[in-house]
Amino acid sequence: GAGVSQSPSNKVTEKGKDVELRCDPISGHTALYWYRQRLGQGLEFLIYFQGNSAPDKSGLPSDRFSAERTGESVSTLTIQRTQQEDSAVYLCASSLSGGPSYNEQFFGPGTRLTVL
Amino acid sequence: GENVEQHPSTLSVQEGDSAVIKCTYSDSASNYFPWYKQELGKRPQLIIDIRSNVGEKKDQRIAVTLNKTAKHFSLHITETQPEDSAVYFCAVLIQGAQKLVFGQGTRLTINP
């Protein structure tokens, strides 16, 4: 079946512009995660959605970052007034559930964001 | 919060030899420890995981060992092959929060 998809695959923007990144999780997956991966670095947790519960936003680095998810479908990550340090690959992952029985996260291909 | 340290950051081994990557963590309540492999330009993929109720798990040439007392776990790859070359990330599940904290990664290179 289809895996996690993300769009765009690459995004080049100018400093100060807003960008919107999209994630389509695997159908039926109630949990959705966003991560940031800077060049040569590990995966930095940003935000986690679980069903209709309030999202865990504890990883968002500043108020310029926000994310939304409608139900158990598509999620968008928005970065306002982009800065050069926002340049990174943004990875989305989904899993069957994020409840007590933790399930494997499946990652999307990522969006490579370059801020000039 | 949970702190995950991964070592070494780079590892180069001869084809056929074994590779070991180690991670330490800080929260003794953590009970799930996956390892992800990320090939160049590709997405991370789960290769093996272990829960705290066992000390070792094997899957063909890869194995993971867990020492809960010392709060460390290791990935072992035997009979390494060129296709094992990748970046490997350990992770620890934050208990109750259902999110993973990742190590910084190990770039493994298999020399022919």
Side-chain angles (χ1 to χ4, degrees):
Chain A
V4 179
S5 60
Q6 292 185 244
S7 61
S9 55
N10 279 283
K11 176 71 178 178
V12 180
T13 190
E14 293 179 347
K15 178 180 172 181
K17 301 277 189 177
D18 298 352
V19 296
E20 192 172 278
L21 313 180
R22 176 186 169 110
C23 172
D24 283 88
I26 294 172
S27 178
H29 281 196
T30 62
L32 187 147
Y33 305 80
W34 282 98
Y35 296 90
R36 177 169 69 180
Q37 186 175 31
R38 291 195 166 110
L39 187 63
Q41 300 294 312
L43 284 77
E44 178 187 358
F45 167 80
L46 296 178
I47 189 168
Y48 157 51
F49 295 90
Q50 170 55 48
N52 295 317
S53 301
D56 177 347
K57 304 179 181 180
S58 61
L60 295 178
S62 77
D63 59 7
R64 296 187 296 105
F65 288 72
S66 62
E68 293 184 350
R69 187 185 188 196
T70 305
E72 297 180 355
S73 60
V74 171
S75 175
T76 55
L77 176 69
T78 301
I79 309 173
Q80 295 178 308
R81 305 181 302 281
T82 51
Q83 304 294 312
Q84 288 183 331
E85 62 263 29
D86 298 334
S87 295
V89 174
Y90 289 82
L91 288 160
C92 174
S94 71
S95 67
L96 270 174
S97 77
S101 298
Y102 176 78
N103 293 278
E104 175 186 353
Q105 292 184 25
F106 293 85
F107 283 84
T111 293
R112 182 176 298 279
L113 174 66
T114 303
V115 182
L116 301 177
Chain B
E2 178 71 271
N3 186 39
V4 180
E5 297 285 337
Q6 183 171 346
H7 298 281
S9 56
T10 60
L11 179 61
S12 182
V13 301
Q14 288 299 119
E15 182 177 353
D17 288 351
S18 296
V20 181
I21 303 169
K22 181 175 177 178
C23 284
T24 60
Y25 61 98
S26 57
D27 186 356
S28 57
S30 299
N31 61 6
Y32 176 70
F33 310 90
W35 284 91
Y36 283 81
K37 176 182 180 182
Q38 187 176 30
E39 296 178 31
L40 188 62
K42 297 191 176 180
R43 70 192 77 187
Q45 291 193 306
L46 179 71
I47 55 170
I48 196 167
D49 56 11
I50 193 168
R51 296 186 185 270
S52 59
N53 56 345
V54 297
E56 184 176 6
K57 183 176 178 180
K58 286 184 178 180
D59 182 3
Q60 299 182 335
R61 295 186 298 107
I62 60 173
V64 55
T65 57
L66 172 65
N67 184 327
K68 283 219 73 178
T69 303
K71 290 187 282 188
H72 66 70
F73 58 110
S74 299
L75 177 70
H76 304 254
I77 307 174
T78 58
E79 301 171 22
T80 52
Q81 300 170 3
E83 55 264 37
D84 296 329
S85 294
V87 178
Y88 292 81
F89 293 97
C90 65
V92 176
L93 182 69
I94 295 181
Q95 188 67 4
Q98 295 303 310
K99 61 188 183 187
L100 295 175
V101 176
F102 285 83
Q104 289 301 299
T106 296
R107 181 172 300 280
L108 175 64
T109 303
I110 308 301
N111 300 309

